Amino acid sequence: RFENNLQSEMPRIPLVKTKADFVTFSQSGEKLAKLHLDYESIEKFPITLKEGALDLIVGDDPESFFRVEKMKFAKKNVFSSVVYNKNITIEGIPKEAFEYKINGKSALEWVMERQCVKTDKASGIVNDANDYANETMNNSAYPLELFQRVITVSLETMKIVKSLPKL
């Protein structure tokens, strides 16, 4: 009944010639699973800010300081610098962090697209990433920290993928 589907949707399990290659793929899969499932406990990538050090410039109101409306690249086709908000511009993002793609878009671009304030046209419901950061995570810097962690996850993912044996 599902023969056509199964032919086009076969699992993409690589065929390897040696047991050592199989073990490498297996261990790499475990590393990737741990990395992606535990992304919130991964070390944050040390970012460089255009404005200086965060601990010196946050001030008394962290909720408004870290409030993100919409992240964007500082310059068109220059991915190493992202304007987080009016207070924060992230610089020195490694080019390799954009190599990890999900459905044709880098993981960092997904975060930039999702961590924003957006109003649904049909319902008028406001989806505000800042509310989640403040109310659920109790951390107004959560979107920024998520961005930093996704840089780390992207870099580590590409390091693991590039170390895999050739098929």
Side-chain angles (χ1 to χ4, degrees):
R1 181 174 172 193
F2 298 103
E3 182 179 358
N4 290 337
N5 288 2
L6 291 173
Q7 286 177 349
S8 64
E9 297 174 8
M10 291 293 282
R12 296 185 183 112
I13 300 172
L15 298 175
V16 292
K17 294 181 179 173
T18 67
K19 181 180 178 185
D21 286 349
F22 176 80
V23 169
T24 301
F25 273 100
S26 175
Q27 291 171 344
S28 297
E30 287 179 23
K31 289 178 192 173
L32 287 170
K34 182 170 177 28
L35 182 68
H36 288 247
L37 291 173
D38 296 335
Y39 71 93
E40 288 194 336
S41 62
I42 298 291
E43 186 176 322
K44 295 179 285 188
F45 184 81
I47 56 173
T48 304
L49 301 178
K50 183 177 180 181
E51 295 78 10
L54 275 178
D55 55 347
L56 300 175
I57 57 178
V58 172
D60 294 336
D61 186 12
E63 285 187 20
S64 64
F65 182 82
F66 287 108
R67 182 168 179 75
V68 61
E69 295 292 326
K70 182 169 177 62
M71 290 186 241
K72 61 184 178 184
F73 292 109
K75 294 180 183 173
K76 190 174 185 176
N77 296 326
V78 177
F79 301 122
S80 63
S81 183
V82 170
V83 177
Y84 175 81
N85 65 16
K86 64 182 180 182
N87 301 315
I88 301 170
T89 301
I90 305 165
E91 293 188 329
I93 301 168
K95 182 175 78 171
E96 297 82 25
F98 290 94
E99 290 178 12
Y100 174 51
K101 305 269 187 197
I102 303 168
N103 289 334
K105 191 183 296 188
S106 74
L108 291 173
E109 289 173 293
W110 280 101
V111 171
M112 290 172 63
E113 186 178 284
R114 300 292 190 266
Q115 296 297 311
C116 66
V117 178
K118 189 185 272 185
T119 304
D120 182 62
K121 292 177 186 175
S123 67
I125 295 173
V126 177
N127 183 11
D128 189 343
N130 301 293
D131 290 342
Y132 178 78
N134 295 323
E135 296 167 9
T136 305
M137 301 306 290
N138 296 318
N139 180 4
S140 55
Y142 178 77
L144 178 63
E145 292 175 1
L146 176 65
F147 190 80
Q148 289 176 267
R149 285 186 173 100
V150 171
I151 293 173
T152 301
V153 168
S154 297
L155 292 172
E156 291 301 314
T157 297
M158 292 314 298
K159 196 182 300 181
I160 292 168
V161 168
K162 287 179 180 179
S163 73
L164 290 172
K166 299 290 181 216
L167 296 176

mmCIF file of all heavy atoms in Angstrom, residues 86-102:
data_model
loop_
_atom_site.group_PDB
_atom_site.id
_atom_site.type_symbol
_atom_site.label_atom_id
_atom_site.label_comp_id
_atom_site.label_asym_id
_atom_site.label_seq_id
_atom_site.Cartn_x
_atom_site.Cartn_y
_atom_site.Cartn_z
ATOM 1 N N LYS A 86 18.636 48.035 19.934
ATOM 2 C CA LYS A 86 19.274 49.363 19.868
ATOM 3 C C LYS A 86 20.478 49.478 20.795
ATOM 4 O O LYS A 86 21.334 50.335 20.602
ATOM 5 C CB LYS A 86 18.258 50.457 20.184
ATOM 6 C CG LYS A 86 17.735 50.382 21.588
ATOM 7 C CD LYS A 86 16.707 51.440 21.862
ATOM 8 C CE LYS A 86 16.268 51.235 23.302
ATOM 9 N NZ LYS A 86 15.324 52.015 23.834
ATOM 10 N N ASN A 87 20.574 48.592 21.789
ATOM 11 C CA ASN A 87 21.677 48.634 22.746
ATOM 12 C C ASN A 87 22.827 47.693 22.418
ATOM 13 O O ASN A 87 23.943 47.899 22.871
ATOM 14 C CB ASN A 87 21.171 48.266 24.154
ATOM 15 C CG ASN A 87 20.085 49.194 24.636
ATOM 16 O OD1 ASN A 87 20.180 50.397 24.498
ATOM 17 N ND2 ASN A 87 19.038 48.610 25.191
ATOM 18 N N ILE A 88 22.537 46.635 21.683
ATOM 19 C CA ILE A 88 23.515 45.555 21.498
ATOM 20 C C ILE A 88 23.703 45.238 20.021
ATOM 21 O O ILE A 88 22.746 44.965 19.314
ATOM 22 C CB ILE A 88 23.055 44.270 22.231
ATOM 23 C CG1 ILE A 88 22.878 44.540 23.719
ATOM 24 C CG2 ILE A 88 24.027 43.130 21.995
ATOM 25 C CD1 ILE A 88 22.207 43.401 24.475
ATOM 26 N N THR A 89 24.955 45.265 19.590
ATOM 27 C CA THR A 89 25.334 44.781 18.263
ATOM 28 C C THR A 89 26.415 43.729 18.474
ATOM 29 O O THR A 89 27.466 44.017 19.045
ATOM 30 C CB THR A 89 25.861 45.914 17.365
ATOM 31 O OG1 THR A 89 24.841 46.906 17.230
ATOM 32 C CG2 THR A 89 26.245 45.392 15.996
ATOM 33 N N ILE A 90 26.134 42.521 18.030
ATOM 34 C CA ILE A 90 27.054 41.402 18.181
ATOM 35 C C ILE A 90 27.997 41.409 16.987
ATOM 36 O O ILE A 90 27.551 41.475 15.845
ATOM 37 C CB ILE A 90 26.289 40.071 18.224
ATOM 38 C CG1 ILE A 90 25.239 40.101 19.324
ATOM 39 C CG2 ILE A 90 27.244 38.903 18.395
ATOM 40 C CD1 ILE A 90 24.203 38.998 19.210
ATOM 41 N N GLU A 91 29.296 41.307 17.259
ATOM 42 C CA GLU A 91 30.284 41.295 16.183
ATOM 43 C C GLU A 91 31.165 40.065 16.288
ATOM 44 O O GLU A 91 31.244 39.430 17.333
ATOM 45 C CB GLU A 91 31.134 42.565 16.249
ATOM 46 C CG GLU A 91 30.342 43.821 15.944
ATOM 47 C CD GLU A 91 31.213 45.052 15.810
ATOM 48 O OE1 GLU A 91 32.262 45.122 16.465
ATOM 49 O OE2 GLU A 91 30.830 45.931 15.029
ATOM 50 N N GLY A 92 31.830 39.759 15.190
ATOM 51 C CA GLY A 92 32.788 38.665 15.176
ATOM 52 C C GLY A 92 32.173 37.282 15.200
ATOM 53 O O GLY A 92 32.778 36.341 15.703
ATOM 54 N N ILE A 93 30.980 37.128 14.657
ATOM 55 C CA ILE A 93 30.357 35.808 14.590
ATOM 56 C C ILE A 93 31.110 35.001 13.525
ATOM 57 O O ILE A 93 31.249 35.456 12.391
ATOM 58 C CB ILE A 93 28.866 35.909 14.219
ATOM 59 C CG1 ILE A 93 28.123 36.764 15.245
ATOM 60 C CG2 ILE A 93 28.246 34.526 14.105
ATOM 61 C CD1 ILE A 93 26.733 37.167 14.819
ATOM 62 N N PRO A 94 31.612 33.828 13.888
ATOM 63 C CA PRO A 94 32.381 33.039 12.918
ATOM 64 C C PRO A 94 31.540 32.649 11.703
ATOM 65 O O PRO A 94 30.383 32.262 11.841
ATOM 66 C CB PRO A 94 32.791 31.790 13.695
ATOM 67 C CG PRO A 94 32.557 32.093 15.122
ATOM 68 C CD PRO A 94 31.522 33.163 15.185
ATOM 69 N N LYS A 95 32.143 32.746 10.549
ATOM 70 C CA LYS A 95 31.468 32.387 9.299
ATOM 71 C C LYS A 95 31.018 30.927 9.324
ATOM 72 O O LYS A 95 29.964 30.587 8.802
ATOM 73 C CB LYS A 95 32.427 32.642 8.129
ATOM 74 C CG LYS A 95 31.859 32.361 6.767
ATOM 75 C CD LYS A 95 32.817 32.744 5.673
ATOM 76 C CE LYS A 95 33.876 31.689 5.535
ATOM 77 N NZ LYS A 95 34.755 31.845 4.372
ATOM 78 N N GLU A 96 31.802 30.075 9.978
ATOM 79 C CA GLU A 96 31.492 28.648 10.045
ATOM 80 C C GLU A 96 30.177 28.378 10.779
ATOM 81 O O GLU A 96 29.546 27.347 10.563
ATOM 82 C CB GLU A 96 32.623 27.888 10.748
ATOM 83 C CG GLU A 96 33.958 27.952 10.034
ATOM 84 C CD GLU A 96 34.730 29.244 10.333
ATOM 85 O OE1 GLU A 96 34.510 29.861 11.402
ATOM 86 O OE2 GLU A 96 35.539 29.644 9.491
ATOM 87 N N ALA A 97 29.752 29.293 11.659
ATOM 88 C CA ALA A 97 28.504 29.108 12.410
ATOM 89 C C ALA A 97 27.290 29.125 11.486
ATOM 90 O O ALA A 97 26.240 28.591 11.828
ATOM 91 C CB ALA A 97 28.360 30.183 13.483
ATOM 92 N N PHE A 98 27.430 29.718 10.317
ATOM 93 C CA PHE A 98 26.323 29.796 9.365
ATOM 94 C C PHE A 98 26.304 28.607 8.397
ATOM 95 O O PHE A 98 25.417 28.504 7.570
ATOM 96 C CB PHE A 98 26.371 31.117 8.590
ATOM 97 C CG PHE A 98 26.033 32.301 9.443
ATOM 98 C CD1 PHE A 98 27.029 33.029 10.062
ATOM 99 C CD2 PHE A 98 24.713 32.666 9.658
ATOM 100 C CE1 PHE A 98 26.720 34.108 10.868
ATOM 101 C CE2 PHE A 98 24.391 33.745 10.459
ATOM 102 C CZ PHE A 98 25.403 34.465 11.069
ATOM 103 N N GLU A 99 27.288 27.708 8.515
ATOM 104 C CA GLU A 99 27.333 26.537 7.634
ATOM 105 C C GLU A 99 26.307 25.485 8.032
ATOM 106 O O GLU A 99 25.866 24.709 7.191
ATOM 107 C CB GLU A 99 28.730 25.920 7.644
ATOM 108 C CG GLU A 99 29.767 26.770 6.961
ATOM 109 C CD GLU A 99 31.152 26.153 7.028
ATOM 110 O OE1 GLU A 99 31.280 24.954 7.404
ATOM 111 O OE2 GLU A 99 32.119 26.859 6.708
ATOM 112 N N TYR A 100 25.948 25.443 9.301
ATOM 113 C CA TYR A 100 24.967 24.452 9.765
ATOM 114 C C TYR A 100 23.579 24.924 9.348
ATOM 115 O O TYR A 100 23.082 25.923 9.834
ATOM 116 C CB TYR A 100 25.064 24.270 11.278
ATOM 117 C CG TYR A 100 23.993 23.378 11.841
ATOM 118 C CD1 TYR A 100 23.753 22.115 11.303
ATOM 119 C CD2 TYR A 100 23.202 23.795 12.893
ATOM 120 C CE1 TYR A 100 22.764 21.294 11.813
ATOM 121 C CE2 TYR A 100 22.211 22.978 13.414
ATOM 122 C CZ TYR A 100 21.996 21.744 12.865
ATOM 123 O OH TYR A 100 21.009 20.936 13.365
ATOM 124 N N LYS A 101 22.977 24.187 8.430
ATOM 125 C CA LYS A 101 21.691 24.586 7.848
ATOM 126 C C LYS A 101 20.577 23.646 8.273
ATOM 127 O O LYS A 101 20.777 22.442 8.417
ATOM 128 C CB LYS A 101 21.770 24.573 6.317
ATOM 129 C CG LYS A 101 22.884 25.408 5.728
ATOM 130 C CD LYS A 101 22.434 26.782 5.451
ATOM 131 C CE LYS A 101 23.548 27.525 4.711
ATOM 132 N NZ LYS A 101 23.374 28.917 4.745
ATOM 133 N N ILE A 102 19.402 24.229 8.454
ATOM 134 C CA ILE A 102 18.180 23.484 8.723
ATOM 135 C C ILE A 102 17.175 23.929 7.671
ATOM 136 O O ILE A 102 16.795 25.098 7.628
ATOM 137 C CB ILE A 102 17.629 23.793 10.130
ATOM 138 C CG1 ILE A 102 18.681 23.494 11.182
ATOM 139 C CG2 ILE A 102 16.347 23.023 10.381
ATOM 140 C CD1 ILE A 102 18.356 24.031 12.542
#
